[in-house]
């Protein structure tokens, strides 16, 4: 009997690890893009010259631009080569308004946000604290900032704001991703832009592929510094990259994400770099940054190698109250997971978590960390696709078009690949690039929007049903920035368990996800306590909050308490 018991337990353990057991109902998605009216195609405009930016357009942003409580979708497009200017071209970014009935309407022209560049990424933030999210575009050529006018339209204020992009060697630096955060806690969000590499279409190296010219390896290009703009509070920004120490470190910047990894009350920055060491900028009192990636053990993988860093996430995956780092890479490199052990150090848990084995044959771009099944543990999702469009000609194992992937957090430090149960739509192979996540229909289940080169975007509605509960927090700062970016949140449930997150919109690669903060509560029908530590220093505690609702929380004036507006999500 003892032997039989051990066998049964082993079998059950394998069942759960495979993500198919009774405690692990499938995470499942359905692509509603066509029926919803989201008919967007990423036009990277590939040429025989194989210009380097052609492999990389990915931007996706989820934002409630008109304040109706529903997330709208903004998708970034490429442009015709080699001019890199869309004037007179037929490829533009698109803004889709969420109608609240499962459909979206293209409002790009009326809103005035078509864009005018070879687009890479999008970043959402309310830079003037007027309660309306604004939109920044990271482009190969001039970056753009669109101010939300509050009447369904936007105004291009790039010139006034002075954020078109830093120039190096007489050429505007190629920007890939960007994000908003309040680095000095003055109540105004600042702008960080990750720059990729020194690239000039008129002086580009010729690299060979199996059938002639191919895309060059990143090592063919020199690295660049990143850019930090301080918000002046009058609609303008000042480039403070040099005075804050940001420009002293160079790399090939891809995904940029924010979190207060050491709990000192100031938001830090992680940048995933392509074939150069990752960067971790420690915020020193809101005055300067110290690059500590090597010291913190996040610059390289556990073998001491710099990887092809792409998308990045900076969230607590093990519910210990410390934000962890997870980023994607290409085939044979794995997608490394760095667990925050406190004291300014991270530990490479890629092997121990199972992710090394699961991701070794994958190439990943944008990614997300979110509780997709509302069990109280954050899961991982990634948009997959190979970098090289001719990989199928030289390899039997790797393909340009790949299916997406989702890894379920088992709550014991291990992740299981549950992609097979995510549905045929989710597994449709394509050269995926962009990914952003958020609750598009306010049903408490996190949805995912994914783009692919030369293919239609997918809007994956989360249709998993398991009876688990949730809450969704929409923050409104008063002394802090209006969106509450940088607020640290702890949720405790009646079963005595706690989980943590930070308010941010920056995610993945060139993406902005739902700025509202989502928590799965498992079988708990309420949150017994919610603690919010605002960037201003205010500590706010809310108790006995009924689950399955969107909660709008306004920052308290001084300490515990404050206003809570409860909205029925259904």
């Amino acid at each position: 009997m003892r032997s039989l018991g051990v066998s049964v337990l082993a079998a059950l353990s394998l069942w759960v690890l495979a993500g198919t057991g009774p405690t692990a109902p499938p995470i499942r998605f359905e692509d509603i893009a066509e029926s919803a009216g989201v008919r967007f195609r990423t036009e990277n405009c590939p040429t025989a010259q194989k210009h380097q930016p052609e492999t990389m357009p990915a931007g996706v942003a989820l934002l409630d631009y008109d304040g109706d409580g529903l997330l709208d979708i903004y998708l970034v497009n490429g442009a015709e080569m080699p001019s890199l200017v869309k004037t007179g071209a037929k490829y533009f970014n698109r803004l889709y308004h969420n109608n609240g009935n499962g459909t979206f309407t293209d409002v790009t022209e009326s809103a005035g946000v078509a864009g005018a560049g070879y687009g890479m990424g999008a970043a959402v933030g309310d830079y003037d604290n007027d309660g309306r999210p604004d939109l920044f575009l990271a482009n190969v050529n001039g970056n753009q900032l669109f101010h939300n006018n509050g009447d369904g339209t936007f105004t291009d204020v790039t010139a006034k704001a002075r954020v078109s992009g830093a120039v190096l060697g007489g050429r505007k630096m190629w920007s890939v991703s960007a994000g908003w955060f309040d680095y000095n806690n003055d109540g105004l969000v600042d702008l960080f832009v990750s720059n990729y590499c020194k690239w000039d279409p008129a002086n580009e190296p010729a690299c060979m592929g199996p059938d002639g010219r191919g895309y060059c390896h990143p090592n063919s290009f020199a690295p660049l510094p990143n850019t930090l703009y301080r918000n002046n509070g009058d609609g303008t920004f000042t480039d403070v990259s040099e005075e804050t120490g940001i420009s002293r470190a160079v790399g090939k910047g891809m995904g940029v994400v924010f979190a207060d990894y050491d709990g000192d009350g100031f938001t830090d920055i992680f940048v995933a770099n392509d074939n150069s060491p990752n960067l971790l900028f420690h915020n020193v009192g809101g005055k300067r940054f110290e690059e500590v990636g090597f010291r913190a053990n996040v610059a390289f993988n556990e073998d001491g190698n710099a990887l092809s860093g792409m998308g990045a996430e900076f969230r607590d995956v093990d519910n210990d109250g410390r934000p962890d780092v997870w980023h994607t890479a290409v085939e044979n490199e794995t997608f490394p997971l760095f667990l925050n052990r406190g004291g300014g150090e991270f530990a490479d848990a890629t092997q121990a978590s199972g992710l090394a084995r699961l991701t070794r044959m994958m190439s990943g771009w944008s990614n997300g960390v979110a509780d997709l099944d509302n069990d109280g543990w954050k899961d991982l999702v990634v948009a997959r696709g190979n970098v090289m469009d001719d990989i199928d000609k030289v390899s039997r194992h790797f393909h340009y078009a790949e299916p997406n992937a989702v890894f379920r957090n088992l709550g014991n430090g291990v992740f299981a690949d549950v992609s097979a149960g995510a549905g045929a739509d989710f597994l449709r192979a394509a050269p995926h690039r962009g990914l952003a996540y958020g609750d598009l229909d306010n049903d408490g289940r996190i949805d995912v929007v994914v783009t692919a080169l030369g293919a239609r975007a997918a809007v994956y509605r989360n249709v998993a049903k398991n009876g688990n509960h949730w809450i969704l927090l929409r923050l409104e700062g008063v002394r802090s920035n209006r969106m509450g970016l940088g607020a640290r949140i702890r949720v405790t449930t009646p079963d005595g368990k706690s989980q943590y997150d930070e308010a941010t919109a920056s995610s993945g690669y060139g993406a902005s996800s739902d700025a509202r903060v989502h928590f799965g509560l498992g079988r708990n029908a309420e949150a017994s306590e919610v603690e919010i530590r605002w960037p201003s220093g205010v500590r706010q505690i809310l108790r006995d909050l009924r689950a399955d609702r969107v909660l709008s929380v306004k920052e308290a004036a001084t300490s515990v308490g404050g206003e809570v507006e409860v909205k029925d999500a259904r």
Side-chain angles (χ1 to χ4, degrees):
M1 288 295 294
R2 184 175 181 180
S3 175
L4 176 62
V6 171
S7 299
V8 171
L9 286 174
L12 284 173
S13 297
L14 289 173
W15 198 17
V16 172
L17 283 172
T20 58
T23 60
I27 296 171
R28 190 171 180 83
F29 298 97
E30 289 181 358
D31 183 5
I32 64 168
E34 181 65 28
S35 62
V38 180
R39 300 180 179 95
F40 175 86
R41 178 184 174 96
T42 303
E43 300 290 354
N44 58 320
C45 304
T47 64
Q49 290 73 35
K50 300 290 185 179
H51 296 297
Q52 205 69 10
E54 295 168 8
T55 67
M56 297 172 59
V60 185
L62 303 182
L63 71 162
D64 179 9
Y65 82 94
D66 58 349
D68 64 356
L70 297 167
L71 289 177
D72 310 296
I73 302 173
Y74 188 81
L75 298 166
V76 175
N77 221 335
E80 293 176 331
M81 288 285 189
S83 66
L84 301 182
V85 178
K86 285 187 183 176
T87 305
K90 59 183 178 180
Y91 308 123
F92 296 98
N93 305 340
R94 310 308 297 178
L95 174 62
Y96 292 92
H97 173 258
N98 190 336
N99 299 321
N101 60 359
T103 68
F104 292 77
T105 300
D106 187 335
V107 295
T108 309
E109 277 69 38
S110 61
V113 288
Y118 195 103
M120 289 282 134
V124 175
D126 183 0
Y127 75 86
D128 56 355
N129 286 334
D130 64 357
R132 301 185 292 264
D134 308 299
L135 185 63
F136 178 83
L137 304 181
N139 296 327
V140 178
N141 49 336
N143 301 328
Q144 290 179 279
L145 176 60
F146 289 97
H147 175 259
N148 189 333
N149 301 320
D151 59 359
T153 69
F154 291 76
T155 299
D156 187 336
V157 295
T158 311
K160 174 187 176 183
R162 303 197 297 264
V163 292
S164 62
V167 175
L168 184 66
R171 185 173 185 85
K172 183 261 178 188
M173 290 193 285
W174 171 1
S175 302
V176 167
S177 295
W180 299 92
F181 75 125
D182 184 0
Y183 83 87
N184 54 7
N185 290 345
D186 66 351
L188 300 167
V189 289
D190 310 294
L191 178 64
F192 185 95
V193 181
S194 70
N195 300 309
Y196 186 53
C197 67
K198 292 182 180 179
W199 175 81
D200 184 345
N203 186 26
E204 193 170 14
C207 301
M208 303 309 293
D211 295 324
R213 188 157 180 165
Y215 293 110
C216 292
H217 190 277
N219 288 343
S220 300
F221 304 92
L224 290 174
N226 299 297
T227 309
L228 175 62
Y229 295 101
R230 185 182 64 223
N231 190 334
N232 298 323
D234 59 0
T236 69
F237 292 78
T238 299
D239 186 338
V240 293
S241 309
E242 184 174 354
E243 70 180 71
T244 59
I246 290 295
S247 62
R248 294 173 197 162
V250 297
K252 299 183 179 83
M254 299 284 270
V256 55
V257 283
F258 309 98
D260 179 7
Y261 78 91
D262 58 350
D264 66 355
F266 292 93
T267 302
D268 309 298
I269 311 164
F270 176 83
V271 180
N273 278 323
D274 189 3
N275 282 273
S276 59
N278 298 323
L279 301 175
L280 178 61
F281 291 103
H282 175 241
N283 189 335
V284 183
K287 300 183 184 302
R288 61 183 180 87
F289 289 87
E290 181 182 29
E291 203 291 298
V292 297
F294 179 77
R295 188 196 321 165
N297 299 321
V298 297
F300 306 97
N301 70 356
E302 58 187 350
D303 296 324
N305 297 321
L307 303 183
S308 306
M310 313 277 245
E313 282 281 65
F314 208 166
R315 296 185 188 271
D316 180 12
V317 300
D318 54 0
N319 288 347
D320 66 354
R322 297 186 292 261
D324 311 298
V325 171
W326 179 57
H327 76 78
T328 58
V330 300
E331 71 275 5
N332 290 322
E333 291 187 344
T334 77
F335 303 165
L337 173 65
F338 300 103
L339 293 181
N340 189 337
R341 294 310 189 196
E345 293 187 358
F346 292 74
D348 191 324
T350 316
Q351 291 282 352
S353 66
L355 289 172
R357 174 180 56 84
L358 296 176
T359 64
R360 188 168 298 280
M361 300 297 287
M362 299 180 179
S363 291
W365 290 76
S366 194
N367 58 331
V369 173
D371 188 351
L372 299 173
D373 55 3
N374 287 331
D375 67 349
W377 295 93
K378 297 180 188 67
D379 310 296
L380 314 178
V381 61
V382 57
R384 293 177 55 195
N386 203 278
V387 177
M388 307 306 295
D389 62 345
D390 54 8
I391 189 70
D392 294 83
K393 297 179 181 179
V394 297
S395 173
R396 292 180 300 170
H397 305 291
F398 304 112
H399 305 282
Y400 185 48
E402 296 186 34
N404 297 307
V406 59
F407 307 106
R408 183 172 185 265
N409 190 336
L410 303 180
N412 60 357
V414 175
F415 290 84
D417 186 345
V418 295
S419 309
D425 293 343
F426 188 76
L427 291 175
R428 191 178 301 119
H432 299 107
R433 291 297 187 264
L435 181 152
Y437 56 94
D439 190 353
L440 293 172
D441 50 6
N442 288 341
D443 67 351
R445 294 174 290 190
I446 296 298
D447 310 299
V448 180
V449 179
V450 176
T451 64
L453 298 186
R456 287 280 186 91
V459 180
Y460 293 118
R461 183 170 182 261
N462 189 334
V463 295
K465 295 182 179 180
N466 54 25
N468 286 338
H469 298 285
W470 54 274
I471 58 170
L472 191 59
L473 303 177
R474 178 188 176 276
L475 303 183
E476 181 182 339
V478 178
R479 289 173 54 196
S480 302
N481 66 86
R482 184 69 174 265
M483 288 177 64
L485 300 181
R488 294 171 292 161
I489 303 162
R490 173 181 57 83
V491 170
T492 303
T493 45
D495 58 8
K497 297 178 180 178
S498 294
Q499 52 183 301
Y500 307 80
D501 210 343
E502 298 192 23
T504 182
S506 299
S507 65
Y509 166 69
S512 275
S513 291
D514 194 346
R516 300 174 301 180
V517 189
H518 167 268
F519 291 91
L521 303 180
R523 296 301 177 181
N524 298 283
E526 69 173 16
S528 53
E529 184 172 281
V530 174
E531 178 188 52
I532 305 171
R533 292 181 179 267
W534 297 86
S536 65
V538 169
R539 175 174 172 266
Q540 192 168 353
I541 295 180
L542 312 169
R543 293 187 172 88
D544 302 326
L545 300 178
R546 186 157 56 90
D548 305 329
R549 291 171 179 262
V550 178
L551 308 180
S552 293
V553 182
K554 189 173 184 179
E555 183 180 10
T558 53
S559 57
V560 177
E563 303 173 25
V564 183
E565 178 186 356
V566 179
K567 296 181 179 179
D568 191 335
R570 307 191 196 284

